[in-house]
Amino acid sequence: MDIQALVRELKVRNESKIVLLVADGLGGLPIAPNGPTELEAAKTPNLDKLAAQGVLGSMYPIAPGITPGSGPGHLALFGYDPLKHIIGRGALEATGVGFKLGPNDVAVRCNFCTLDPQGNIIDRRAGRIATEESAPLAVKLRQVKIPNVEVFVEPVKEHRFVVIFRGRGLGGNVTDTDPQRTGVPPLKPQALDEASQRTAEAAQQFIEQALTLLRYQPKANGLTMRGFAAAPAIESYEAVYGLRAAAIAVYPMYKGLAQLVGMEVVGAPATLAEEIDLLKKVWPDYDFFFVHFKYTDSRGEDGDFAAKARMIEEFDGIIPRVTALKPTVLIVTGDHSTPAKLAAHSWHPVPVLLAAESCRPDGCTAFSEKQALQGGLGHFPAVYLMPLALAHAGRLAKFGA
Amino acid sequence: MDIQALVRELKVRNESKIVLLVADGLGGLPIAPNGPTELEAAKTPNLDKLAAQGVLGSMYPIAPGITPGSGPGHLALFGYDPLKHIIGRGALEATGVGFKLGPNDVAVRCNFCTLDPQGNIIDRRAGRIATEESAPLAVKLRQVKIPNVEVFVEPVKEHRFVVIFRGRGLGGNVTDTDPQRTGVPPLKPQALDEASQRTAEAAQQFIEQALTLLRYQPKANGLTMRGFAAAPAIESYEAVYGLRAAAIAVYPMYKGLAQLVGMEVVGAPATLAEEIDLLKKVWPDYDFFFVHFKYTDSRGEDGDFAAKARMIEEFDGIIPRVTALKPTVLIVTGDHSTPAKLAAHSWHPVPVLLAAESCRPDGCTAFSEKQALQGGLGHFPAVYLMPLALAHAGRLAKFGA
């Protein structure tokens, strides 16, 4: 029995409130030998105070050595084994723009591109067309009609949009049409199994009609498709944990991930301060709050150590506003490490901080990777974070008599 | 999905070099209350320097409390779950003498023994017959002919030799014929399943013909069989990890184990210094280097604490020659613990040291069991060592988007 199945059996409901604050890509590396990590370099008086009250741990998202993408990283934080629940990129993108995927849907990410008169790709991103120009074109593609298949088209950002095919018997195993280079035409979508045959045909019909609709466009006169994906079958937070869960995030990807596990995406905050405003506002209405902060990851991906440390300080700054709400359990962590030194996601464990009345003190005095190694939660896979949160919230019954 | 299957999907190739230095039976115990372990007693300035640069961990070969033999211990180090990949003793012995086992082979370890005129065993090891005497006898047994079964006989050492039966439909589940005591005749080989019926028959025919061939021998006029084993189906290092791997070892057993996972056994070194000479020589030709040092285990098995500590010091002495080659990732560990206090393999975790540019500092300053407990790699099963090595070598792609 996996841990989530066990938790589902043991869950109880109460009045507790759980907050999961995720600083994306939080874990880091020293930029100089024997130097501090970004988290250790940042001044984080509020997190340090919380670390002294709570308990720390060193968490690996998937398994030692494995670097997660945002999808698997968040699924693991939410307690869903990312090796069992594979979410295709198309499905992620669709939920990210607020589209609720159903069981008969196949979603696919699309890029507008520029084709020459021979049909070869000149620009794979249509000159990085602005959202104001591209969004109406995506809406125009809603005119495509395919027999027995319902088609939805949603603008995303710049050259990106998403198409959802809805109908019985549509499999999600179809090849990408993006050839990943210029000077050649887009590839044809091809089914990788019998069940995906009709999806590939629908995709081909979509492409043909779209080319007609786009033919006079100067930049976006073509498209490519990537990451075909059927909706994953995932049990909701309510069903598994008995939690009414709210997701507060700026970026579509994280809203999408939260929605996939049945969280309600609330509001449309644009900054961390607005996210906390929103947290306060919806506080009475939910049991669980996922709050996502993107910029720690972004600055890590930029390779900018100092900027990432500053983002951590900004993040630290909102902690008193969260603790003022008196959550029963407050967790602060990341979905993975994004060391500026590597300018990429990495496999290094992520420090995690859990503060609750029922914490057993572990002697840690500051929130850092080094102290997290010695923390009371030990070294553990991320899928155990939700059981720990529920336990500290008094939401798990005893197992066995 | 197990971790090795995941790693196979995520592997990428690059120019990095990974070295796995194994001091067999490295982990120890204090011989006196509150004293140091062998590793802690030994002067290891080079390993300590490396520990300060890299990251430590406390590794259990199989699971907490389980004492591994050499086979499972090394399989785990190589990343193959030893509970899934069971290698019979016969298969190990055959590969250990350089015999390449195929999918239709069943190997079995044999001992020459001395029989009295009634066919009862007088000496289970034929008076510990010298290799010079026994090897020609093993070769003589190649005269055995069995219909539809190809027979190979390979001398090993002293009273030991190995027989390989090759043919379609030969199962490996046959009982030992060694009664484990004297004064009784050898047992008859018996099949434990339908698929091994023909193997048992072939073994019986082998024994009958061998007794005729050996009948005038003063010491080795009989034989016993132990550890029947079909060749295990194991995917190669190249297939799983994308690594061209070289194995450098003195002892046949470790060469055999390395060969089973598709490493190339290079050279025939007789000392640790020669092993490192060889490492330097073949450096350009491989991506991964397994270097095995036997004598830490041997002195542990002898129960000689001081001698084991001296062996660790000898091992420490070659570290600068290895670091001079500038490996991308250098791992130093053991396949299990062999505390002199117990004079045997044990279940205690093994300290592991991983040094690479991408290590996150963990505050450790010396290579010891005690510091390893606080190390950044935490406490982990040995099958995660290869994923960690590959990650630090930049040889694993991100999992999921």
Side-chain angles (χ1 to χ4, degrees):
Chain A
M1 186 188 269
D2 79 358
I3 182 69
Q4 203 182 41
L6 180 61
V7 162
R8 185 180 40 197
E9 296 306 313
L10 300 179
K11 69 167 178 280
V12 294
R13 290 164 210 263
N14 62 23
E15 298 299 306
S16 64
K17 304 272 188 190
I18 302 170
V19 176
L20 173 62
L21 287 183
V22 174
D24 204 300
L26 178 63
L29 280 177
I31 203 87
N34 295 315
T37 65
E38 295 91 328
L39 177 58
E40 289 161 1
K43 285 195 175 56
T44 55
N46 298 305
L47 287 167
D48 293 345
K49 192 178 148 198
L50 212 54
Q53 293 165 356
V55 65
L56 300 189
S58 191
M59 194 171 72
Y60 43 94
I62 317 284
I66 305 300
T67 297
S70 301
H74 276 82
L75 276 192
L77 280 181
F78 298 157
Y80 298 78
D81 182 346
L83 297 178
K84 283 188 195 160
H85 302 279
I86 308 289
I87 301 182
R89 194 79 197 202
L92 211 57
E93 196 86 359
T95 37
V97 294
F99 190 92
K100 286 209 177 190
L101 280 182
N104 293 318
D105 293 351
V106 171
V108 54
R109 299 172 73 194
C110 299
N111 283 354
F112 285 116
C113 66
T114 314
L115 302 175
D116 71 11
Q118 286 71 47
N120 294 321
I121 298 173
I122 302 170
D123 189 312
R124 289 177 55 236
R125 295 181 187 85
R128 288 199 179 271
I129 188 170
T131 307
E132 302 79 58
E133 282 183 81
S134 65
L137 294 178
V139 170
K140 183 175 186 173
L141 296 183
R142 290 176 182 166
Q143 295 172 31
V144 169
K145 298 289 173 229
I146 302 173
N148 301 318
V149 175
E150 208 173 344
V151 178
F152 303 85
V153 184
E154 299 293 338
V156 179
K157 208 176 177 184
E158 297 170 350
H159 55 283
R160 299 197 300 274
F161 63 102
V162 60
V163 172
I164 298 98
F165 300 108
R166 178 172 293 172
R168 290 191 176 274
L170 295 181
N173 289 318
V174 177
T175 57
D176 293 353
T177 74
D178 186 345
Q180 300 280 349
R181 59 197 177 100
T182 55
V184 295
L187 304 168
K188 290 210 183 305
Q190 291 182 42
L192 291 171
D193 56 31
E194 192 60 32
S196 304
Q197 200 61 50
R198 289 192 54 222
T199 314
E201 288 162 17
Q204 182 58 33
Q205 290 181 50
F206 182 92
I207 292 165
E208 284 165 17
Q209 294 182 42
L211 288 179
T212 304
L213 290 164
L214 299 171
R215 66 184 179 282
Y216 300 122
Q217 291 301 322
K219 281 188 274 190
N221 65 344
L223 75 148
T224 58
M225 292 180 158
R226 292 196 295 164
F228 282 83
I234 286 189
E235 270 199 300
S236 76
Y237 245 55
E238 168 65 47
V240 178
Y241 303 127
L243 292 170
R244 296 168 302 159
I248 302 175
V250 173
Y251 274 55
M253 166 79 82
Y254 310 97
K255 295 181 188 176
L257 282 162
Q259 209 161 49
L260 271 181
V261 299
M263 292 189 202
E264 212 163 302
V265 174
V266 297
T271 64
L272 181 57
E274 285 179 22
E275 289 184 88
I276 307 304
D277 292 344
L278 204 52
L279 175 68
K280 194 173 172 183
K281 188 178 154 201
V282 301
W283 191 251
D285 306 331
Y286 298 91
D287 309 307
F288 179 94
F289 307 84
F290 159 56
V291 181
H292 182 264
F293 180 57
K294 174 69 181 171
Y295 299 103
T296 31
D297 177 62
S298 309
R299 296 298 81 79
E301 294 254 20
D302 294 344
D304 191 336
F305 184 97
K308 183 176 168 193
R310 278 197 305 276
M311 287 302 121
I312 294 171
E313 292 179 353
E314 181 186 335
F315 183 71
D316 181 77
I318 57 91
I319 297 297
R321 292 188 60 202
V322 179
T323 52
L325 296 168
K326 302 199 183 305
T328 320
V329 178
L330 171 55
I331 293 169
V332 183
T333 189
D335 54 336
H336 53 75
S337 294
T338 306
K341 181 179 177 176
L342 303 180
H345 291 196
S346 82
W347 63 93
H348 299 86
V350 190
V352 58
L353 188 172
L354 188 156
E357 272 288 323
S358 51
C359 284
R360 177 189 288 165
D362 59 4
C364 292
T365 55
F367 191 35
S368 75
E369 285 90 345
K370 214 167 266 166
Q371 291 213 19
L373 291 177
Q374 315 301 331
L377 296 176
H379 300 222
F380 68 104
V383 289
Y384 291 108
L385 188 60
M386 278 304 299
L388 285 164
L390 293 166
H392 281 278
R395 284 178 175 266
L396 283 185
K398 187 162 64 176
F399 171 64
Chain B
M1 187 187 273
D2 78 357
I3 181 70
Q4 202 182 41
L6 180 61
V7 162
R8 184 181 38 198
E9 296 305 313
L10 299 178
K11 69 165 179 279
V12 294
R13 289 163 210 263
N14 62 24
E15 298 297 306
S16 65
K17 303 271 188 190
I18 302 170
V19 176
L20 173 62
L21 286 183
V22 174
D24 204 301
L26 178 63
L29 282 176
I31 202 87
N34 295 314
T37 64
E38 295 92 326
L39 176 59
E40 288 160 2
K43 286 196 175 54
T44 55
N46 298 305
L47 287 167
D48 293 347
K49 191 177 149 199
L50 213 54
Q53 294 165 356
V55 65
L56 300 189
S58 193
M59 193 172 73
Y60 43 94
I62 317 286
I66 305 302
T67 298
S70 302
H74 276 82
L75 276 191
L77 280 181
F78 299 157
Y80 298 78
D81 183 346
L83 298 177
K84 283 190 196 160
H85 301 279
I86 308 290
I87 299 182
R89 196 76 197 202
L92 211 56
E93 197 85 359
T95 37
V97 294
F99 189 91
K100 288 210 176 187
L101 281 181
N104 293 319
D105 293 350
V106 171
V108 54
R109 298 172 74 194
C110 299
N111 282 355
F112 285 116
C113 65
T114 313
L115 303 175
D116 70 13
Q118 286 71 46
N120 293 320
I121 299 174
I122 303 169
D123 189 312
R124 288 178 54 237
R125 296 182 185 85
R128 287 201 180 271
I129 188 170
T131 308
E132 301 79 59
E133 282 183 81
S134 65
L137 294 178
V139 170
K140 185 175 184 171
L141 295 183
R142 290 176 183 167
Q143 294 172 32
V144 169
K145 297 290 171 227
I146 301 173
N148 300 319
V149 175
E150 209 173 344
V151 178
F152 303 86
V153 184
E154 299 292 338
V156 179
K157 211 176 175 185
E158 298 170 349
H159 55 283
R160 299 196 301 274
F161 63 103
V162 60
V163 173
I164 298 97
F165 300 108
R166 177 171 293 170
R168 290 191 176 274
L170 295 181
N173 288 319
V174 177
T175 57
D176 293 353
T177 73
D178 186 344
Q180 299 280 350
R181 57 196 177 102
T182 55
V184 295
L187 304 168
K188 289 212 183 306
Q190 291 180 44
L192 291 170
D193 56 30
E194 191 60 35
S196 303
Q197 200 61 50
R198 289 191 55 221
T199 314
E201 289 162 16
Q204 183 57 35
Q205 290 181 48
F206 183 91
I207 291 166
E208 286 164 17
Q209 294 181 42
L211 288 179
T212 305
L213 288 164
L214 298 171
R215 66 186 179 281
Y216 301 121
Q217 291 301 321
K219 283 188 274 189
N221 66 343
L223 76 148
T224 58
M225 292 179 158
R226 292 197 296 165
F228 281 81
I234 286 189
E235 269 199 301
S236 77
Y237 246 55
E238 167 66 47
V240 178
Y241 303 127
L243 293 170
R244 296 168 303 159
I248 301 175
V250 173
Y251 275 55
M253 167 79 82
Y254 310 96
K255 296 182 187 177
L257 282 162
Q259 208 161 48
L260 271 180
V261 299
M263 293 190 202
E264 211 162 305
V265 174
V266 296
T271 64
L272 181 56
E274 285 180 22
E275 288 184 87
I276 307 305
D277 292 343
L278 203 53
L279 175 67
K280 193 172 172 184
K281 188 178 154 201
V282 302
W283 189 250
D285 305 331
Y286 298 90
D287 309 307
F288 180 93
F289 306 84
F290 159 55
V291 181
H292 182 264
F293 179 58
K294 174 69 181 170
Y295 299 104
T296 32
D297 178 61
S298 308
R299 297 298 82 78
E301 295 254 20
D302 294 344
D304 191 337
F305 184 97
K308 184 177 167 193
R310 279 197 304 276
M311 287 302 120
I312 294 171
E313 292 180 353
E314 180 186 336
F315 183 70
D316 182 77
I318 57 91
I319 296 297
R321 294 188 58 202
V322 179
T323 52
L325 295 168
K326 301 196 183 307
T328 320
V329 178
L330 172 55
I331 292 169
V332 184
T333 189
D335 54 336
H336 53 74
S337 294
T338 306
K341 182 178 178 176
L342 303 181
H345 291 198
S346 82
W347 64 93
H348 299 87
V350 190
V352 58
L353 189 173
L354 189 158
E357 270 287 321
S358 50
C359 284
R360 179 188 284 166
D362 59 5
C364 292
T365 55
F367 191 37
S368 74
E369 285 90 344
K370 214 168 267 163
Q371 292 214 19
L373 291 176
Q374 314 298 331
L377 296 176
H379 300 223
F380 67 103
V383 289
Y384 290 108
L385 188 61
M386 279 303 299
L388 285 164
L390 292 166
H392 283 275
R395 284 177 174 267
L396 284 184
K398 189 162 64 173
F399 171 63

